[in-house]
Amino acid sequence: MDLRLSEKHSALQADLQAFITRYAAEAPKAGGGRKRPDARTLDWQKRLVEHGYAARTVPRAYGGFGAELDVVELAVIADAFVQAGVHPGLSNQGISMLVPTLLEVGTEAQRQEWIGPTIRGDVIWCQGYSEPGAGSDLAAAQTRAELKDGHFIVNGQKIWTSSAHYADMMFLLCRSEPDRPKHQGLSYLILSMKTPGIEVLPLRTMTGRAEFNETFFTDVKVPAENIVMGRGQGWHVANITLKHERLMLGDSNRLTQRLHKLTEMLQRLEVGGEKLIAIPSLRDRLLQLQGEVFAWRAHGLRLLTDQSRGVDSGLRRLITKYGATMLCFRLSSLAVDALGTAGLPYEVESETVEGDEATTWHVDHFYDIGLIIGGGSSNIQKNIIGERGLDLPREPKMIGVAAGRN
Amino acid sequence: MEFDLSEDQRLFGESLSGFLQDRQPLEALRRMAEPGSGFDAGLWDGLTELGLHGLLVPEQFGGAGLGVLDAAAAAEALGGTAAVVPFAASTVMATLALLRLGSPAQQAAYLPGIAAGEIRIGVGFAGRTGQTGPAEARLDGTRLSGRISGALDAGAPTHLLVCLPDGRAVLTGAAEAGVSVSSHRTIDRTRPVADLVFDGAAAEILGSSNRGPAALASVLDAGRVVLAADTVGAAQTMLDRAVAYAKERAQFGRVIGSFQGVKHACADMATMLEPCRAMVWYAAHAQDSIPAEARLWACQVKAHVGDVGREVARISTEVHGGMGFTDLLGLHYWFKRIAFNRQALGGPERCRHDAAVEQGWIVA
């Protein structure tokens, strides 16, 4: 047990301090996702990539910084931007999910073409996975891709395609081999959102905003070489991508930041001349949540050590998405309870700006439900924890339901 | 940066676990637990040979000179096997009290005996841990009088350590004239609590400096962390047994672990419990190396692990169905181990109160 930073990591920390001091004024305002990055954000992202504070481990040949993977370095970098409250660079589905997937299983040509523009923020991706009839049972996807004259012809519908309305590209899970068993009949394609035959409709959620879309495909032509791995291997590729998504959703830094925000609010706001934190029932809930956040923070350090050793964390990794998203909801629950009636007025200013403190907490509180469901819902996570983590037997298959069909 | 037990710490925990599983199978556990004194001479001597009692005693006094993290790793093994052995108070708190408050002469007088397994010190911290029952002790010169309830590891003590209202600690022999120890069997037959009555008993103050209260608080913190580690070990055993049972028990023509109702219950236990292990490590490491965070983490780990322990104990018993409720499986020894740990040295509410004071959210 040694929580001190090595000389190398201390030096990196010092470099980061110097970088932030020198350039922070050029950084865009932190936050502000769900829209196309503006020129200021793109400049900032390029500067971060040049210094190795974004896309650090992406090889130089693909436009990255080319550092060896050192997860402690990545943690030191993330921490420096959080502590300084400075924009840490872009985090989107292209950067956090597609790029690692192409690095793992993409062709050389695909890496050359897409990784550089994606990490610089010039190309924005959306994810074409879920369908109205294939949510938790993602492998039941029915969107068809038929190979004809060197093109896949895509027909069908995707749902929950966040950022599809401004994305340049999509990574798409579709059924190319309808005669093969469900999991072996899928392919993973990448395609331009400007291809004729794609229609994107906004999907309004309980937050009052349209964070997601529905995307419809009518005879959309995708060049055959735009497949990642081979025909029928889409399920394997999709799982590589999902692994990265679930780690992103289970990040314990988010919990710590939210706990700080909540604590600060309870110490600042008053009711009847009394600070909220002086009210025993609120304070006790805050203390309970603090204990839980501490547990996940320590757990995060353990996962970091696993990663730096190249150890598969197994059960320890499988519990993070379910555990952290549930705790996130309970943190925002205390915030909206503490605000009480005063927090009920709710006006979302725009698709990208929340507005006042109470609205921001309520948006988070609603959106937390989305996070509990998205990326593999809590009930699916519990199956995964039970079956892959604890080696419990799978539910017996129903007899008479054909594979790959509803 | 390396957040893990060391190879030595893991191996010590494993060898301790192996020894206890070997020496304390269920039938032996029943026999050792029945008297309720929390002490078995044969087991104690075996653990002396393994070096358990001198874990925190400096090498110059015959111990291993290790820290609270090592003690936590050991406690996880003790909880995992519901070991009938005094540890958290007798081995950890008393040793740390001597190290942090005791004079050099007192350290030389007691520490070698602790490491050799010849001295066992019951600890009465009532009044600092928010427990009900009497907690009055006063010292007139070198004479101790008063009543302390709920003393830990005092089923077969050679000495007693009690704290005075002013935060000083006092040590006395358990067999001294004017000392009476009434040990009670508890819900958890593997460990007792005792009522101590002193009537002008000869006693000595640990050390003489006035850093007493803060040092004594740090001793309480370490005790809380070690009890939390014990709970993590006990809860892990309950989870493992539930999972094993769910794979073997069949109903409706299926093993019950294939039902989502049971599978999800097991997943919930794992999701709650696994982060607690890392939390215990961090809290224990803080006692050894991060003084600024030591108290807050000790309070929070005792509270949170206490809550998680109760949930895991309930859910595991439920997964076992009616059999879990019987005495036959012996699962209840772990249920009660967890229940004991929850209350000892302050339950979650008291520990969170202390955490609030520590952060300046309320005035003590």
Side-chain angles (χ1 to χ4, degrees), chain B residues 200-227:
Chain B
E204 54 180 314
I205 287 187
L206 278 193
S208 52
S209 70
N210 57 2
R211 69 192 175 95
L216 208 61
S218 79
V219 170
L220 172 61
D221 293 342
R224 284 176 169 173
V225 173
V226 166
L227 286 179

Side-chain angles (χ1 to χ4, degrees), chain A residues 57-70:
Chain A
T57 58
V58 173
R60 282 192 179 271
Y62 310 129
F65 187 72
E68 284 286 309
L69 175 63
D70 175 343

Side-chain angles (χ1 to χ4, degrees), chain A residues 218-275:
Chain A
T218 312
D219 293 331
V220 175
K221 283 176 77 176
V222 180
E225 65 268 25
N226 282 20
I227 191 167
V228 179
M229 295 191 76
R231 288 176 64 173
Q233 290 180 295
W235 183 244
H236 176 70
V237 183
N239 271 296
I240 294 172
T241 308
L242 283 175
K243 175 179 74 183
H244 293 284
E245 180 178 35
R246 282 173 194 151
L247 281 179
M248 192 167 76
L249 295 176
D251 180 7
S252 69
N253 274 335
R254 290 158 61 98
L255 295 172
T256 302
Q257 282 171 269
R258 188 175 278 195
L259 176 73
H260 285 161
K261 210 173 122 190
L262 177 58
T263 306
E264 185 277 324
M265 186 176 84
L266 292 183
Q267 287 175 311
R268 169 168 44 83
L269 297 185
E270 294 182 359
V271 57
E274 196 177 20
K275 298 274 192 225

Side-chain angles (χ1 to χ4, degrees), chain A residues 1-6 9 72 263 267 277-278 283-284 286-288 290-306 308-309 315-316 319-320 322-324 378-383 385-387 390-396, chain B residues 1-6 9-10 69 239 242-244 246-247 254-260 262-268 270-272 274-282 285 290 293 296-297 300 304 307 348-349 352-353 355-356 359-362:
Chain A
M1 186 69 67
D2 185 357
L3 298 182
R4 292 166 306 175
L5 291 179
S6 69
H9 296 136
V72 178
T263 306
Q267 287 175 311
I277 202 157
R283 183 178 62 238
D284 196 57
L286 180 66
L287 284 160
Q288 286 187 37
Q290 183 183 49
E292 290 185 58
V293 172
F294 278 12
W296 285 99
R297 228 167 83 188
H299 187 71
L301 291 171
R302 197 168 170 213
L303 289 175
L304 188 63
T305 298
D306 282 344
S308 71
R309 292 173 177 170
L315 177 70
R316 296 199 280 281
I319 62 174
T320 54
Y322 171 50
S378 52
N379 283 308
I380 292 296
Q381 294 303 316
K382 285 193 266 188
N383 280 351
I385 295 163
E387 289 162 16
L390 300 173
D391 199 26
L392 287 165
R394 292 178 65 92
E395 195 94 4
Chain B
M1 219 279 325
E2 182 110 324
F3 185 83
D4 196 1
L5 295 182
S6 69
Q9 284 162 339
R10 190 169 34 250
L69 182 58
L239 168 59
V243 169
K247 286 177 189 171
R254 290 160 61 177
V255 290
I256 61 169
S258 69
F259 289 107
Q260 286 189 323
V262 172
K263 186 182 294 172
H264 288 190
C266 292
D268 274 324
T271 304
M272 280 181 239
E274 195 56 38
C276 289
R277 177 168 291 111
M279 187 186 196
V280 163
W281 292 353
Y282 192 102
H285 176 64
I290 320 173
E293 297 180 46
L296 178 58
W297 276 78
Q300 282 291 16
H304 178 59
D307 281 348
E349 291 72 23
R352 291 195 183 105
H353 171 89
Q359 296 175 92
W361 294 355
I362 48 172

Side-chain angles (χ1 to χ4, degrees), chain B residues 334-355:
Chain B
W334 283 266
F335 187 107
K336 294 165 180 173
R337 182 96 179 183
I338 290 167
F340 181 103
N341 288 341
R342 181 180 166 99
Q343 310 305 339
L345 299 180
E349 291 72 23
R350 172 64 187 207
C351 291
R352 291 195 183 105
H353 171 89
D354 291 350

Side-chain angles (χ1 to χ4, degrees), chain B residues 13-32:
Chain B
E14 281 170 15
S15 69
L16 196 54
S17 251
F19 172 83
L20 288 163
Q21 278 161 11
D22 191 41
R23 294 286 291 269
Q24 204 192 267
L26 185 57
E27 284 320 303
L29 170 57
R30 288 186 196 283
R31 183 172 42 74
M32 290 179 197

